[in-house]
């Protein structure tokens, strides 16, 4: 997979710096302290993104930010505040339907715009973390990142033309015949053969490169037969190319139970977009919660790294949230850039801080501030 090809380290980098909303600036500032201390040389170019820019400009990902990302080596993203699209739009613009404004998630927009088709989410329980479900968990989730139910093809008011087609094609769903266009909504689940094959191949290539033993494809093909059936069939075809790696299949509902029952039966998990989002949050909770959940949105030549938590607006400005998810996301970024020694130094320092337990943020049962946690990681370098 080209998105995991080895990169040659550079003397300096251009990094798109996207703090976002809520606690995003705080965890990004803490992470910058760690990146500077480990000796990572970069010019950080600030990009406007998030809820405030939707409110002021009607665009949560302004074109000027897209331009920054186009010439950056990679980007680090903090967090954004978002609301359900209809609520967000109608709250700000009562005449939203007439004005034609549509809220679009900026992170989903970035994934599709730059074809960041791999969402890589490692979930590892570090020794000494009292919030671990069990010690020794080390799971990696590969989530398809550009299609499925996140494709963005949705209708909250169903046009008459579409309603007529659905009535003709979906004879088993009688309510179509009796509802007007404003009485139901449609979100299209779109899976392609290309998208399915490349995310599964990415999971196998990762397993091969990291000495992982098994890849499990997650689906619901017994019910969602067309789209999930295509995903599963594609996975089976790709799996035949990797005879040295075990392959199995699991329904998305069942895997949530089995992961809790025995997480050591699993290694690398690969799933369509929505299922991957759900199971990666489950896996993150098993290794301490979203304060430890990091993520990489990876394409062939560009990648955006982020914590998996939200913007937690009620904690904004309090300097109390755990920055380790963002620090570990930065570690992933350094790995992707080819800065392996610096990435390992960050992970080892994080592991040491967690293991020693002297500095803990509130989610770990302590009172340390965001910046105190970052400082502890820096001290652990030496």
């Amino acid at each position: 997979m080209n998105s995991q090809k080895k990169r040659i380290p550079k003397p300096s980098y251009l990094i798109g710096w996207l703090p976002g909303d809520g606690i995003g600036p705080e965890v990004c500032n803490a992470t910058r302290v760690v990146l500077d201390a480990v000796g990572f040389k970069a010019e950080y170019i600030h990009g406007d993104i998030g809820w405030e820019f939707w409110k002021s400009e009607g665009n949560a990902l302004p074109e000027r930010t897209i331009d920054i990302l186009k010439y950056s080596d990679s980007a680090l993203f903090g967090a954004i505040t978002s609301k359900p699209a209809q609520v967000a739009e109608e709250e700000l613009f009562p005449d939203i339907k007439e004005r034609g404004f549509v809220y679009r998630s900026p992170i989903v927009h970035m994934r599709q715009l730059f074809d960041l088709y791999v969402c890589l989410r490692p979930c590892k329980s570090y020794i000494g973390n009292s919030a671990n479900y069990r010690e020794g968990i080390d799971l990696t989730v590969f989530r398809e990142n550009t299609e499925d139910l996140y494709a963005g093809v949705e209708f909250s008011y169903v046009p008459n033309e579409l309603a007529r087609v659905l009535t003709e094609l979906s004879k088993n769903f009688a309510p179509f015949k009796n509802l007007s266009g404003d009485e139901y909504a449609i979100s299209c689940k779109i899976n392609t053969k290309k998208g399915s094959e490349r995310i599964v191949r990415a999971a196998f290539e990762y397993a091969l490169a990291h000495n992982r033993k098994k890849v499990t494809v997650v689906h619901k093909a017994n019910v969602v037969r067309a789209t999930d059936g295509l995903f599963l069939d594609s996975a089976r075809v790709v799996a035949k190319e990797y005879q040295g790696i075990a392959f199995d299949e699991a329904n998305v509902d069942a895997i949530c139970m089995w992961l809790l029952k025995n997480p050591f039966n699993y290694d690398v998990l690969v799933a369509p977009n929505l299922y991957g989002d759900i199971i990666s949050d489950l896996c993150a909770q098993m290794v301490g919660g979203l304060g430890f959940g990091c993520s990489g949105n990876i394409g062939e030549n560009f990648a955006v790294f982020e914590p998996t938590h939200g913007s937690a607006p009620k904690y904004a400005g309090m300097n109390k949230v755990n920055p380790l998810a963002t620090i570990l996301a930065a570690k992933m970024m350094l790995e992707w850039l080819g800065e392996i020694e610096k990435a390992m130094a960050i992970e080892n320092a994080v592991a040491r801080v967690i293991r020693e337990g002297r500095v803990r943020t509130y989610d770990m049962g302590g009172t340390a501030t965001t910046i105190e946690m970052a400082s502890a990681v820096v001290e652990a370098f030496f």
Side-chain angles (χ1 to χ4, degrees):
M1 160 180 146
N2 289 336
S3 59
Q4 294 197 57
K5 64 185 178 184
K6 290 185 178 180
R7 287 171 170 78
I8 300 173
K10 298 166 59 175
S12 183
Y13 299 87
L14 292 176
I15 302 298
W17 197 251
L18 312 175
D21 307 315
I23 62 170
E26 294 165 58
V27 293
C28 283
N29 289 342
T31 300
R32 175 68 184 275
V33 170
V34 174
L35 286 170
D36 289 346
V38 82
F40 181 63
K41 304 297 183 184
E43 178 184 353
Y44 298 93
I45 308 168
H46 177 89
D48 295 333
I49 190 170
W51 182 244
E52 292 304 316
F53 298 97
W54 163 252
K55 289 198 298 184
S56 61
E57 303 177 25
N59 188 353
L61 182 65
E63 286 297 323
R64 60 186 178 274
T65 301
I66 293 172
D67 289 340
I68 288 170
L69 299 178
K70 286 179 180 178
Y71 63 78
S72 297
D73 292 301
S74 64
L76 190 73
F77 172 56
I80 56 164
T81 298
S82 61
K83 298 182 182 180
Q86 190 170 3
V87 173
E89 293 156 4
E90 294 180 356
E91 178 181 293
L92 292 167
F93 308 111
D95 58 343
I96 189 66
K97 290 180 182 177
E98 289 75 17
R99 296 180 67 171
F101 285 173
V102 176
Y103 178 81
R104 188 176 187 185
S105 165
I107 186 62
V108 172
H109 189 183
M110 277 192 289
R111 290 165 179 164
Q112 294 177 341
L113 183 65
F114 293 98
D115 198 23
L116 308 178
Y117 63 92
V118 171
C119 186
L120 173 60
R121 293 188 171 181
C123 298
K124 181 177 180 179
S125 58
Y126 290 94
I127 295 171
N129 187 350
S130 60
N132 284 338
Y133 177 63
R134 293 187 192 175
E135 296 282 2
I137 294 174
D138 190 359
L139 299 164
T140 304
V141 178
F142 273 76
R143 167 193 176 196
E144 200 292 317
N145 221 14
T146 60
E147 46 187 50
D148 195 59
L149 276 168
Y150 288 59
V153 183
E154 298 187 290
F155 304 88
S156 57
Y157 178 88
V158 181
N160 291 334
E161 297 87 345
L162 179 57
R164 281 196 296 270
V165 172
L166 291 173
T167 299
E168 293 173 4
L169 297 179
S170 305
K171 300 184 184 302
N172 293 331
F173 192 63
F176 277 135
K177 300 178 181 179
N178 304 315
L179 296 176
S180 62
D182 60 354
E183 292 181 294
Y184 63 112
I186 294 173
S187 294
C188 296
K189 180 176 168 68
I190 303 172
N191 289 43
T192 68
K193 184 177 180 181
K194 175 184 175 181
S196 301
E197 287 182 349
R198 68 181 182 175
I199 189 63
V200 175
R201 182 167 285 107
F204 273 99
E205 286 292 321
Y206 178 92
L208 197 63
H210 294 81
N211 197 30
R212 299 288 187 142
K213 305 302 183 185
K214 183 169 74 170
V215 173
T216 300
V217 62
V218 179
H219 64 92
K220 192 63 178 174
N222 59 322
V223 175
V224 190
R225 295 179 180 274
T227 49
D228 282 16
L230 183 149
F231 190 88
L232 179 58
D233 288 346
S234 299
R236 289 169 175 168
V237 170
V238 173
K240 293 177 181 178
E241 302 174 20
Y242 298 87
Q243 294 298 315
I245 300 171
F247 171 70
D248 68 355
E249 308 165 4
N251 285 345
V252 62
D253 47 342
I255 197 69
C256 292
M257 174 185 68
W258 292 336
L259 281 168
L260 291 173
K261 184 176 181 180
N262 192 348
F264 306 111
N265 282 350
Y266 301 94
D267 196 348
V268 177
L269 305 163
V270 59
N273 209 327
L274 178 62
Y275 306 153
D277 199 5
I278 293 169
I279 62 174
S280 61
D281 275 10
L282 170 61
C283 292
Q285 184 58 43
M286 293 166 66
V287 298
L290 291 180
F292 303 89
C294 53
S295 177
N297 305 278
I298 303 171
E300 299 296 339
N301 299 299
F302 186 65
V304 177
F305 298 87
E306 59 172 327
T308 59
H309 59 64
S311 66
K314 68 179 180 180
Y315 293 131
M318 297 175 65
N319 191 34
K320 68 175 291 183
V321 298
N322 188 348
L324 290 182
T326 313
I327 292 171
L328 288 169
K331 168 255 178 187
M332 292 179 69
M333 180 177 73
L334 266 56
E335 278 183 328
W336 185 78
L337 289 169
E339 297 285 351
I340 305 302
E341 290 185 5
K342 292 181 177 65
M344 290 180 61
I346 290 176
E347 183 170 27
N348 290 339
V350 167
R352 179 178 173 184
V353 170
I354 295 172
R355 183 175 65 251
E356 292 179 349
R358 293 183 295 104
V359 180
R360 296 181 178 181
T361 47
Y362 79 96
D363 58 317
M364 301 169 71
T367 60
T369 65
T370 305
I371 201 66
E372 285 173 345
M373 176 60 83
S375 297
V377 173
V378 170
E379 290 174 9
F381 287 147
F382 307 105

